[in-house]
Amino acid sequence: MGFIDHVRRCNNFVPGGYLPFTVDGAVVGSLRPAFAEALVDWPEVFRVSRSNVALAVDHPGLAERSHAVAGVLETLVRRGVLSHIHGERYPATPGRREEAKLLIDRAAAPYFGIRAFGQHMNGFVREGGSLRMWIGRRSADRVNFPGKLDNLVAGGLPYALSLEENLEKECMEEAGIPVSLACSAVPVGVVTYNALSSKGLKPDTLYCYDLELPADFTPSCNDGEVEEFYLWPVEKVLETVRDSDEFKLNCNLVIIDFLIRHGYIGPGERDYLELVSRLHPSPPF
Amino acid sequence: MGFIDHVRRCNNFVPGGYLPFTVDGAVVGSLRPAFAEALVDWPEVFRVSRSNVALAVDHPGLAERSHAVAGVLETLVRRGVLSHIHGERYPATPGRREEAKLLIDRAAAPYFGIRAFGQHMNGFVREGGSLRMWIGRRSADRVNFPGKLDNLVAGGLPYALSLEENLEKECMEEAGIPVSLACSAVPVGVVTYNALSSKGLKPDTLYCYDLELPADFTPSCNDGEVEEFYLWPVEKVLETVRDSDEFKLNCNLVIIDFLIRHGYIGPGERDYLELVSRLHPSPPF
């Protein structure tokens, strides 16, 4: 067990066999042949071949395309191919969020293998030369990763919100951080990984933030996602990440990036070069 | 002109046509067929084929192998294939410095396309909420990049020295930073790029450091490499990198990484995702 194992586990997607998903000539995702098969009943929406799946909708607008696909997804839920509709829409894009070619419900994102964007924030307190980090414990009733440790604030980034809006919203909902503090969050880079899930490819892009908090601030959860917060010395966070699986999988990567940027993981670490390089892969399409 | 142009220019190597250079079964570099041709006179040292160049020396030890190659390099200098011998040896390695399979003179590194390691340090001063960076102007008599702007401290990392030793040495030689200050330098990550030079492939790995300096410290150059130092507001540094070619090429990347980590280049920047991802490529072998 070590830092690099978390990074490798989040990058367990092996290319091969997946079909590119193209919209308007641009590859925006990558899907399993079995899921492609489930789309053949809608030739007016998807053109499914042995070598790729292309959006067939002729409507030029983002809204029309997205509406046509949303209709298919509803039927796929009724047929049991998809488990549910989440209600937030993610951009299917060859690169940036602003280049979205299509919007797809968040629950269907891994089936189409589209890039999913999120925001993760490390909150910390400095006292003299030492640093302590705020860590959340996810509630036991969560569907995903119940009881696991988490970053102070973390969440998916729906297309409808700007990065600033979503971060402020998540700061308040997940940790009771008022806008007056949240606006001091510093964007510090991006962590990416290409994971294989039971539903398909997850090429995730996490915008990372550091927020230095005053010593007298205590977070409080307003949406039931977190059951408890801890203020741990950075050394304890480092050891927990390095030696255990207590953190939600992708939070390990965000903390490793934090520890590298702040010098707590240095070039003496055996896997330093691989860690830095593999925290930043591009999507495999 | 923009941040991404510097990153793209440092990553102008296009694979194809180059021959892998293997030692002990491990690929440690990549060289031009024309340079491979120059090695055929030493079949006892290099096995040159159409598809690769392999070190033929049977001696198992690093010292013996490196000595055999050094002998060839001296003759190549006499023949005018190489311009000179530098005197510092770089490790040829499939990954980390500690996994060195062979040591090659620094001047020959790009001919063999081996990974070259260096250290770059940004020095800065905080005053209230603002940040100023120390920038060096390279002397007009330098062979490489005369008159260009530079990081406060930057240098190649010879195999014979540890990272700590070399950083302390460079801090004193290039900027008059005493060990008592240099030891506060924080390792903050790695910038890599795969450049094409007139001599061949340069897959460079730069260990990056931040050093916060006291307001009353003024750097002084002790080795003639820098003719002048400036203490610039970070905004002026950002604009100079973004809008000009005044900095030595790879220093732009180290500063872009600094500006991302400190939030001066944020997710609103058009090329943010590409910048982060392309500051960290692996070598192309």
Side-chain angles (χ1 to χ4, degrees):
Chain A
M1 195 81 218
F3 300 118
I4 196 68
D5 296 301
H6 299 299
V7 179
R8 288 178 185 156
R9 263 196 284 175
C10 277
N11 282 285
N12 62 339
F13 177 75
V14 180
Y18 276 58
L19 303 176
F21 175 44
T22 63
V23 182
D24 235 9
V27 180
V28 300
S30 189
L31 43 75
R32 287 183 171 157
F35 183 67
E37 200 61 40
L39 302 175
V40 295
D41 289 349
W42 293 272
E44 73 287 6
V45 182
F46 297 104
R47 289 210 184 97
V48 180
S49 78
R50 284 198 180 176
S51 60
N52 85 339
V53 176
L55 196 74
V57 178
D58 288 330
H59 308 292
L62 189 65
E64 290 91 335
R65 285 177 190 161
S66 306
H67 181 72
V69 170
V72 173
L73 298 185
E74 282 169 22
T75 306
L76 288 175
V77 171
R78 284 199 297 277
R79 291 185 182 177
V81 176
L82 299 182
S83 60
H84 67 293
I85 299 291
H86 187 286
E88 280 178 3
R89 294 194 302 175
Y90 273 9
T93 167
R96 300 178 297 121
R97 292 174 78 224
E98 297 76 16
E99 296 167 319
K101 299 279 187 185
L102 172 73
L103 305 180
I104 300 185
D105 187 81
R106 178 173 171 166
Y111 291 94
F112 288 93
I114 64 167
R115 209 166 178 167
F117 297 86
Q119 291 174 298
H120 282 236
M121 192 180 81
N122 283 302
F124 61 95
V125 177
R126 275 190 210 280
E127 280 180 345
S130 73
L131 191 148
R132 289 186 295 164
M133 292 178 78
W134 280 107
I135 300 296
R137 166 91 60 196
R138 296 170 65 84
S139 301
D141 63 1
R142 293 291 98 182
V143 174
N144 297 318
F145 308 100
K148 288 284 186 185
L149 298 175
D150 205 336
N151 296 123
L152 179 56
V153 172
L157 180 56
Y159 183 73
L161 294 180
S162 73
L163 272 69
E164 292 77 12
E165 290 166 340
N166 194 58
L167 188 65
E168 283 183 9
K169 174 178 151 295
E170 298 278 352
C171 276
M172 180 48 77
E173 286 176 4
E174 295 200 353
I177 299 170
V179 175
S180 59
L181 283 176
C183 67
S184 302
V186 178
V188 291
V190 179
V191 163
T192 52
Y193 55 87
N194 297 308
L196 179 67
S197 80
S198 58
K199 298 164 183 170
L201 165 65
K202 279 173 62 65
D204 285 353
T205 298
L206 310 181
Y207 292 96
C208 299
Y209 300 81
D210 283 2
L211 177 60
E212 182 169 349
L213 287 159
D216 61 0
F217 173 79
T218 302
S220 60
C221 180
N222 297 312
D223 65 357
E225 186 155 328
V226 174
E227 69 176 33
E228 201 176 354
F229 290 102
Y230 313 111
L231 185 58
W232 281 359
V234 66
E235 293 78 11
K236 178 171 179 177
V237 176
L238 181 149
E239 287 162 16
T240 306
V241 168
R242 186 188 59 201
D243 302 333
S244 83
D245 277 329
E246 285 204 55
F247 275 93
K248 177 169 172 282
L249 204 48
N250 62 2
C251 296
N252 288 299
L253 275 55
V254 175
I255 293 176
I256 291 169
D257 177 67
F258 180 93
L259 296 171
I260 289 173
R261 287 185 290 100
H262 289 269
Y264 293 98
I265 298 177
E269 171 69 27
R270 190 186 183 286
D271 304 305
Y272 193 65
L273 297 179
E274 185 180 349
L275 280 174
V276 174
S277 153
R278 296 191 69 178
L279 286 173
H280 306 289
S282 298
F285 52 75
Chain B
M1 195 81 218
F3 300 118
I4 197 67
D5 297 300
H6 298 300
V7 179
R8 288 178 185 157
R9 264 195 284 176
C10 277
N11 282 285
N12 62 338
F13 177 74
V14 180
Y18 275 58
L19 303 177
F21 175 45
T22 64
V23 182
D24 235 9
V27 180
V28 300
S30 190
L31 44 75
R32 288 183 171 157
F35 183 68
E37 200 60 38
L39 302 175
V40 296
D41 289 350
W42 294 272
E44 75 286 6
V45 182
F46 297 103
R47 288 210 186 97
V48 180
S49 78
R50 284 198 181 176
S51 60
N52 85 338
V53 175
L55 196 74
V57 177
D58 289 329
H59 309 292
L62 189 65
E64 291 90 335
R65 285 178 191 161
S66 305
H67 181 73
V69 170
V72 173
L73 298 186
E74 281 170 22
T75 306
L76 288 175
V77 170
R78 283 199 297 276
R79 290 184 182 178
V81 176
L82 299 182
S83 60
H84 67 292
I85 299 291
H86 187 287
E88 282 178 1
R89 293 194 303 176
Y90 274 10
T93 168
R96 300 177 298 121
R97 292 175 78 222
E98 297 75 17
E99 296 167 318
K101 299 280 187 185
L102 173 73
L103 305 180
I104 299 184
D105 187 82
R106 177 173 173 167
Y111 291 93
F112 289 93
I114 64 168
R115 207 165 179 166
F117 297 86
Q119 291 174 297
H120 282 236
M121 191 180 82
N122 282 302
F124 62 94
V125 177
R126 274 190 211 279
E127 279 181 345
S130 72
L131 192 148
R132 288 185 295 164
M133 292 178 78
W134 280 107
I135 299 296
R137 166 90 62 194
R138 296 170 66 82
S139 302
D141 63 0
R142 293 294 96 181
V143 174
N144 297 318
F145 307 100
K148 288 284 186 184
L149 298 175
D150 205 336
N151 297 124
L152 178 57
V153 172
L157 180 56
Y159 182 73
L161 295 180
S162 72
L163 272 70
E164 292 76 12
E165 290 166 339
N166 194 59
L167 189 65
E168 283 183 9
K169 175 177 149 297
E170 297 279 352
C171 276
M172 181 46 77
E173 287 177 3
E174 295 200 352
I177 299 170
V179 175
S180 58
L181 283 176
C183 65
S184 302
V186 177
V188 290
V190 179
V191 163
T192 51
Y193 55 86
N194 296 308
L196 179 66
S197 79
S198 58
K199 298 164 183 170
L201 165 66
K202 277 174 63 67
D204 284 354
T205 298
L206 309 181
Y207 292 96
C208 299
Y209 300 81
D210 283 0
L211 177 59
E212 182 169 350
L213 288 160
D216 61 0
F217 173 79
T218 302
S220 60
C221 180
N222 297 312
D223 65 357
E225 188 156 326
V226 175
E227 69 175 32
E228 201 175 354
F229 290 102
Y230 313 112
L231 185 59
W232 281 358
V234 67
E235 292 78 12
K236 178 172 179 177
V237 176
L238 181 149
E239 287 162 15
T240 305
V241 168
R242 186 187 60 202
D243 303 333
S244 83
D245 277 330
E246 285 204 55
F247 275 93
K248 177 170 171 284
L249 203 49
N250 63 1
C251 297
N252 287 299
L253 275 56
V254 175
I255 292 175
I256 291 169
D257 178 67
F258 179 93
L259 296 171
I260 289 173
R261 287 185 291 101
H262 289 269
Y264 293 98
I265 297 177
E269 171 68 28
R270 189 186 184 286
D271 305 304
Y272 193 65
L273 297 179
E274 186 181 349
L275 280 174
V276 174
S277 152
R278 296 191 70 178
L279 286 172
H280 307 289
S282 298
F285 51 74

